[in-house]
């Protein structure tokens, strides 16, 4: 699946999250409003320095291809859960991440290839089933 480029609302309230397109996705039928990080600069910025997500449920990282790698929480102010999905939308991993103010910061690597990653406030993915599916 490829992300839709249709915003969910003309002017969604995005709190401290600025400069990102907002889309609506579903995970197992549950709708979520997410800011989209789909360029190297936006992915690097992510949710750093964000305290208020406004109406957003979190952020979708779209890599445009399967990749392996790790996330970190340098300068991220709120604890987050991260879910990793393959190119078909199947869940391949979930992790809890804690804020980091100074190096060395922990790296969060699912250990498997992924196409998308979604960050949400800590606890929001606590009951995500192993067979969860992402759809656009």
């Amino acid at each position: 699946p490829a992300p839709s480029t249709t915003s969910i609302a003309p002017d969604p309230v995005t709190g401290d999250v600025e400069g990102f397109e907002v889309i609506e996705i579903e995970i197992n039928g549950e709708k979520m409003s997410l800011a989209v990080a789909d360029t190297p600069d936006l992915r690097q910025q992510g949710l750093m320095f964000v305290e208020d997500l406004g109406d957003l449920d979190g952020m979708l990282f779209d890599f445009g291809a399967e990749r392996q790698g790790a996330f970190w929480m340098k300068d991220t102010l709120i604890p987050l859960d991260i879910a990793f999905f393959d190119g078909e939308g199947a869940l391949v991993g979930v992790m809890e991440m804690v804020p980091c103010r100074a190096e060395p910061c922990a790296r969060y690597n699912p250990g498997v290839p992924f196409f998308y990653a979604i960050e949400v406030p800590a606890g929001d993915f606590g009951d995500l089933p192993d067979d969860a599916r992402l759809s656009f």
Side-chain angles (χ1 to χ4, degrees):
S4 165
T5 57
T6 305
S7 294
I8 60 158
D11 293 309
V13 176
T14 59
D16 298 340
V17 182
E18 297 179 2
F20 294 84
E21 177 185 9
V22 175
I23 65 169
E24 190 171 88
I25 60 98
E26 290 185 14
I27 298 178
N28 286 4
E30 183 178 328
K31 292 183 180 188
M32 300 179 76
S33 299
L34 303 173
V36 179
D38 58 359
T39 67
D41 287 344
L42 291 176
R43 288 191 295 265
Q44 183 176 349
Q45 179 182 342
L47 292 175
M48 288 180 11
F49 304 109
V50 171
E51 291 181 298
D52 178 14
L53 292 171
D55 294 335
L56 296 176
D57 295 300
M59 181 168 284
L60 168 74
F61 294 81
D62 179 350
F63 292 95
E66 276 201 340
R67 67 178 307 265
Q68 289 193 351
F71 279 65
W72 70 333
M73 295 283 286
K74 177 83 168 76
D75 297 323
T76 304
L77 305 177
I78 55 177
L80 298 169
D81 286 351
I82 187 167
F84 299 91
F85 296 87
D86 68 16
E88 300 299 314
L91 180 69
V92 296
V94 179
M95 305 178 90
E96 296 177 7
M97 304 188 300
V98 296
C100 177
R101 302 282 193 290
E103 288 285 0
C105 292
R107 302 298 196 263
Y108 299 92
N109 186 335
V112 295
F114 57 92
F115 199 106
Y116 306 103
I118 297 177
E119 292 180 345
V120 298
D124 285 6
F125 280 150
D127 59 352
L128 198 62
D130 290 343
D131 64 349
R133 304 271 324 168
L134 166 67
S135 58
F136 295 92

